[in-house]
Amino acid sequence: LGSADSQTNRLKHRRHRRCGVEDPDLTIADAALAAALLDARLRQHHRVTPSAVAASALAAGLLALLLGSSAGAGNVVPWLLALAAALAVRMAVRQAHDARRQDHPRWLRRYRVAFLLHGLVWAALPLALGAALPHDSADMLLIILMAMIGGSLVASAFDRPAALLFTTPVVTALLPRLLGSEAQFGLAVAVLLFVLVMLLAASRSFVAMHSAVSAQLLTTERAAEAESARRALADQHHLLSQLMRTTSQGYWFIDTEG
């Protein structure tokens, strides 16, 4: 009995590894759902990375253009180089994943690390510019950072940890700047409310994706079961036909009316 249980556990672990699932306590159905969700997340990461990189580069270029020669603008060039490196990392992860074509949790972790690096670079922007920005430039900085936060939460709603890894550093760096001035306290509250609303919207999008993946998996399983039943019936019909053609016995068929 112990040997049979051990063999069953090994088979279950092998199925989980084929599905790209690392938790051995999941049932086969849960493992299949987790694998389908992993595949959906990786496909979405692969799809949205180029547009996210382009949007970030465009926002950075617009910010550098608007800052011009204002106070603190001299620190923009090193920050732009850091941002270029972070964007290059995101594209490198995508290209490596595209070359390997593997649906494994390690690729999801790599995408998330790239998200974190990207968020840390944007979080460093308020520190790089300092507190001596003109009022108009400070307002523009806030608008661009809020756009990056909102865009990240919407574009990466399919992977909430990745969205939070980008958003949390940016919000953490932005709030002290706003809370340091009594005149901007209301603006800080507005920023928090905006982030909360975007998080709720992202959560709803994730729930919708989860439901869609579950429904698709159920449809696929039912189609596979129907195909298996059809093949079993065809095999039985073929076996019966062969038996009838090759046997030397005679048969009488009687229906329900005799």
Side-chain angles (χ1 to χ4, degrees), residues 33-161:
L33 177 58
L37 287 172
L38 173 64
D39 176 69
R41 286 194 181 105
L42 289 175
R43 282 189 285 105
Q44 288 296 317
H45 272 297
H46 186 272
R47 184 181 65 85
V48 305
T49 295
S51 58
V53 168
S56 184
L58 180 62
L62 179 62
L63 179 64
L65 181 64
L66 293 174
L67 286 176
S69 58
S70 61
N75 296 327
V76 172
V77 174
W79 177 83
L80 287 174
L81 294 176
L83 180 64
L87 298 181
V89 168
R90 290 195 64 176
M91 289 302 299
V93 171
R94 180 184 184 272
Q95 290 175 359
H97 179 223
D98 191 38
R100 299 290 181 86
R101 287 296 183 185
Q102 294 177 343
D103 294 335
H104 194 280
R106 72 167 65 96
W107 287 105
L108 187 60
R109 289 193 292 268
R110 290 169 183 172
Y111 277 116
R112 289 172 176 174
V113 169
F115 258 82
L116 176 61
L117 179 62
H118 192 186
L120 288 173
V121 172
W122 275 101
L125 181 58
L127 301 177
L129 295 179
L133 279 178
H135 182 71
D136 292 342
S137 298
D139 289 344
M140 182 56 61
L141 171 64
L142 177 62
I143 291 172
I144 290 179
L145 288 178
M146 293 303 297
M148 292 303 301
I149 291 172
S152 173
L153 290 174
V154 171
S156 57
F158 58 90
D159 189 9
R160 287 177 293 186

Side-chain angles (χ1 to χ4, degrees), residues 1 25 30 40 78-79 117 124 131 139 181 199 238:
L1 182 60
D25 296 327
D30 290 339
W79 177 83
L117 179 62
D139 289 344
S181 172
L199 280 173
H238 177 72

